[in-house]
PDB file of all heavy atoms in Angstrom:
ATOM      1  N   GLN A  29      14.241 -20.808  -4.046  1.00 92.00           N
ATOM      2  CA  GLN A  29      15.043 -20.927  -2.836  1.00 92.00           C
ATOM      3  C   GLN A  29      14.172 -21.006  -1.578  1.00 92.00           C
ATOM      4  O   GLN A  29      14.613 -21.541  -0.563  1.00 92.00           O
ATOM      5  CB  GLN A  29      15.974 -19.706  -2.700  1.00 92.00           C
ATOM      6  CG  GLN A  29      16.981 -19.572  -3.815  1.00 92.00           C
ATOM      7  CD  GLN A  29      17.958 -20.731  -3.856  1.00 92.00           C
ATOM      8  OE1 GLN A  29      18.647 -21.012  -2.906  1.00 92.00           O
ATOM      9  NE2 GLN A  29      17.935 -21.467  -4.970  1.00 92.00           N
ATOM     10  N   TYR A 185     -16.939 -20.037  -0.660  1.00 97.00           N
ATOM     11  CA  TYR A 185     -17.298 -19.445  -1.956  1.00 97.00           C
ATOM     12  C   TYR A 185     -18.179 -20.381  -2.777  1.00 97.00           C
ATOM     13  O   TYR A 185     -18.675 -20.008  -3.822  1.00 97.00           O
ATOM     14  CB  TYR A 185     -16.056 -19.050  -2.733  1.00 97.00           C
ATOM     15  CG  TYR A 185     -15.268 -17.900  -2.112  1.00 97.00           C
ATOM     16  CD1 TYR A 185     -14.095 -17.424  -2.670  1.00 97.00           C
ATOM     17  CD2 TYR A 185     -15.730 -17.247  -0.968  1.00 97.00           C
ATOM     18  CE1 TYR A 185     -13.388 -16.365  -2.121  1.00 97.00           C
ATOM     19  CE2 TYR A 185     -15.044 -16.232  -0.387  1.00 97.00           C
ATOM     20  CZ  TYR A 185     -13.868 -15.776  -0.956  1.00 97.00           C
ATOM     21  OH  TYR A 185     -13.170 -14.731  -0.382  1.00 97.00           O
ATOM     22  N   ARG A 235      -1.972 -21.237  -3.126  1.00 94.00           N
ATOM     23  CA  ARG A 235      -0.995 -22.308  -3.132  1.00 94.00           C
ATOM     24  C   ARG A 235      -0.524 -22.672  -4.549  1.00 94.00           C
ATOM     25  O   ARG A 235       0.604 -23.092  -4.718  1.00 94.00           O
ATOM     26  CB  ARG A 235      -1.549 -23.576  -2.472  1.00 94.00           C
ATOM     27  CG  ARG A 235      -1.935 -23.411  -1.020  1.00 94.00           C
ATOM     28  CD  ARG A 235      -0.753 -22.976  -0.182  1.00 94.00           C
ATOM     29  NE  ARG A 235      -1.030 -23.030   1.256  1.00 94.00           N
ATOM     30  CZ  ARG A 235      -1.698 -22.120   1.935  1.00 94.00           C
ATOM     31  NH1 ARG A 235      -2.174 -21.029   1.292  1.00 94.00           N
ATOM     32  NH2 ARG A 235      -1.899 -22.216   3.233  1.00 94.00           N
ATOM     33  N   ALA A 276     -13.547 -22.430  -7.666  1.00 97.00           N
ATOM     34  CA  ALA A 276     -13.945 -21.626  -6.515  1.00 97.00           C
ATOM     35  C   ALA A 276     -13.113 -20.339  -6.417  1.00 97.00           C
ATOM     36  O   ALA A 276     -13.639 -19.280  -6.121  1.00 97.00           O
ATOM     37  CB  ALA A 276     -13.771 -22.418  -5.228  1.00 97.00           C
ATOM     38  N   GLU A 283     -12.885 -15.975 -18.929  1.00 97.00           N
ATOM     39  CA  GLU A 283     -13.237 -14.620 -19.319  1.00 97.00           C
ATOM     40  C   GLU A 283     -11.975 -13.757 -19.416  1.00 97.00           C
ATOM     41  O   GLU A 283     -11.863 -12.887 -20.281  1.00 97.00           O
ATOM     42  CB  GLU A 283     -14.192 -14.007 -18.280  1.00 97.00           C
ATOM     43  CG  GLU A 283     -14.867 -12.728 -18.745  1.00 97.00           C
ATOM     44  CD  GLU A 283     -15.795 -12.151 -17.705  1.00 97.00           C
ATOM     45  OE1 GLU A 283     -15.338 -11.621 -16.683  1.00 97.00           O
ATOM     46  OE2 GLU A 283     -17.006 -12.252 -17.899  1.00 97.00           O
ATOM     47  N   LEU A 313       9.992  18.187 -37.915  1.00 93.00           N
ATOM     48  CA  LEU A 313      10.952  18.531 -36.860  1.00 93.00           C
ATOM     49  C   LEU A 313      12.377  18.021 -37.137  1.00 93.00           C
ATOM     50  O   LEU A 313      13.353  18.583 -36.646  1.00 93.00           O
ATOM     51  CB  LEU A 313      10.473  17.953 -35.513  1.00 93.00           C
ATOM     52  CG  LEU A 313       9.102  18.439 -35.049  1.00 93.00           C
ATOM     53  CD1 LEU A 313       8.684  17.715 -33.787  1.00 93.00           C
ATOM     54  CD2 LEU A 313       9.135  19.939 -34.798  1.00 93.00           C
TER      55      LEU A 313
ATOM     56  N   LYS B  35      14.507  19.174 -28.124  1.00 96.00           N
ATOM     57  CA  LYS B  35      14.311  18.141 -29.132  1.00 96.00           C
ATOM     58  C   LYS B  35      15.232  16.956 -28.893  1.00 96.00           C
ATOM     59  O   LYS B  35      14.938  15.815 -29.251  1.00 96.00           O
ATOM     60  CB  LYS B  35      14.554  18.743 -30.502  1.00 96.00           C
ATOM     61  CG  LYS B  35      14.132  17.846 -31.663  1.00 96.00           C
ATOM     62  CD  LYS B  35      14.623  18.401 -33.005  1.00 96.00           C
ATOM     63  CE  LYS B  35      13.759  19.579 -33.422  1.00 96.00           C
ATOM     64  NZ  LYS B  35      14.232  20.182 -34.678  1.00 96.00           N
ATOM     65  N   ASP B  74     -13.300 -11.075   1.816  1.00 98.00           N
ATOM     66  CA  ASP B  74     -14.297 -11.599   0.890  1.00 98.00           C
ATOM     67  C   ASP B  74     -14.845 -10.539  -0.048  1.00 98.00           C
ATOM     68  O   ASP B  74     -15.231 -10.834  -1.188  1.00 98.00           O
ATOM     69  CB  ASP B  74     -15.454 -12.266   1.650  1.00 98.00           C
ATOM     70  CG  ASP B  74     -15.020 -13.562   2.311  1.00 98.00           C
ATOM     71  OD1 ASP B  74     -13.953 -14.073   1.942  1.00 98.00           O
ATOM     72  OD2 ASP B  74     -15.757 -14.073   3.159  1.00 98.00           O
ATOM     73  N   GLN B  82     -15.404 -12.062  -8.215  1.00 97.00           N
ATOM     74  CA  GLN B  82     -16.283 -13.088  -8.781  1.00 97.00           C
ATOM     75  C   GLN B  82     -17.679 -12.603  -9.117  1.00 97.00           C
ATOM     76  O   GLN B  82     -18.271 -13.059 -10.101  1.00 97.00           O
ATOM     77  CB  GLN B  82     -16.379 -14.272  -7.811  1.00 97.00           C
ATOM     78  CG  GLN B  82     -15.011 -14.798  -7.415  1.00 97.00           C
ATOM     79  CD  GLN B  82     -15.053 -16.183  -6.798  1.00 97.00           C
ATOM     80  OE1 GLN B  82     -16.082 -16.850  -6.820  1.00 97.00           O
ATOM     81  NE2 GLN B  82     -13.922 -16.653  -6.319  1.00 97.00           N
ATOM     82  N   TRP B  88     -12.887  -8.362 -11.540  1.00 97.00           N
ATOM     83  CA  TRP B  88     -11.528  -8.964 -11.573  1.00 97.00           C
ATOM     84  C   TRP B  88     -10.599  -8.123 -12.435  1.00 97.00           C
ATOM     85  O   TRP B  88      -9.410  -7.993 -12.123  1.00 97.00           O
ATOM     86  CB  TRP B  88     -11.595 -10.410 -12.114  1.00 97.00           C
ATOM     87  CG  TRP B  88     -12.191 -10.485 -13.493  1.00 97.00           C
ATOM     88  CD1 TRP B  88     -13.500 -10.697 -13.796  1.00 97.00           C
ATOM     89  CD2 TRP B  88     -11.486 -10.344 -14.744  1.00 97.00           C
ATOM     90  NE1 TRP B  88     -13.664 -10.675 -15.176  1.00 97.00           N
ATOM     91  CE2 TRP B  88     -12.459 -10.462 -15.750  1.00 97.00           C
ATOM     92  CE3 TRP B  88     -10.164 -10.112 -15.087  1.00 97.00           C
ATOM     93  CZ2 TRP B  88     -12.120 -10.365 -17.125  1.00 97.00           C
ATOM     94  CZ3 TRP B  88      -9.838 -10.016 -16.422  1.00 97.00           C
ATOM     95  CH2 TRP B  88     -10.820 -10.130 -17.438  1.00 97.00           C
ATOM     96  N   TYR B 376      23.326 -15.710   1.592  1.00 95.00           N
ATOM     97  CA  TYR B 376      22.456 -14.586   1.273  1.00 95.00           C
ATOM     98  C   TYR B 376      22.561 -13.491   2.294  1.00 95.00           C
ATOM     99  O   TYR B 376      22.510 -12.307   1.954  1.00 95.00           O
ATOM    100  CB  TYR B 376      20.994 -15.066   1.153  1.00 95.00           C
ATOM    101  CG  TYR B 376      20.769 -16.122   0.104  1.00 95.00           C
ATOM    102  CD1 TYR B 376      19.925 -17.187   0.336  1.00 95.00           C
ATOM    103  CD2 TYR B 376      21.436 -16.048  -1.126  1.00 95.00           C
ATOM    104  CE1 TYR B 376      19.729 -18.165  -0.630  1.00 95.00           C
ATOM    105  CE2 TYR B 376      21.248 -17.018  -2.086  1.00 95.00           C
ATOM    106  CZ  TYR B 376      20.400 -18.091  -1.847  1.00 95.00           C
ATOM    107  OH  TYR B 376      20.205 -19.034  -2.787  1.00 95.00           O
TER     108      TYR B 376
END
Side-chain angles (χ1 to χ4, degrees):
Chain A
Q29 298 297 300
Y185 292 179
R235 299 301 189 280
E283 193 180 73
L313 300 175
Chain B
K35 191 189 284 176
D74 288 346
Q82 307 197 8
W88 59 268
Y376 301 140

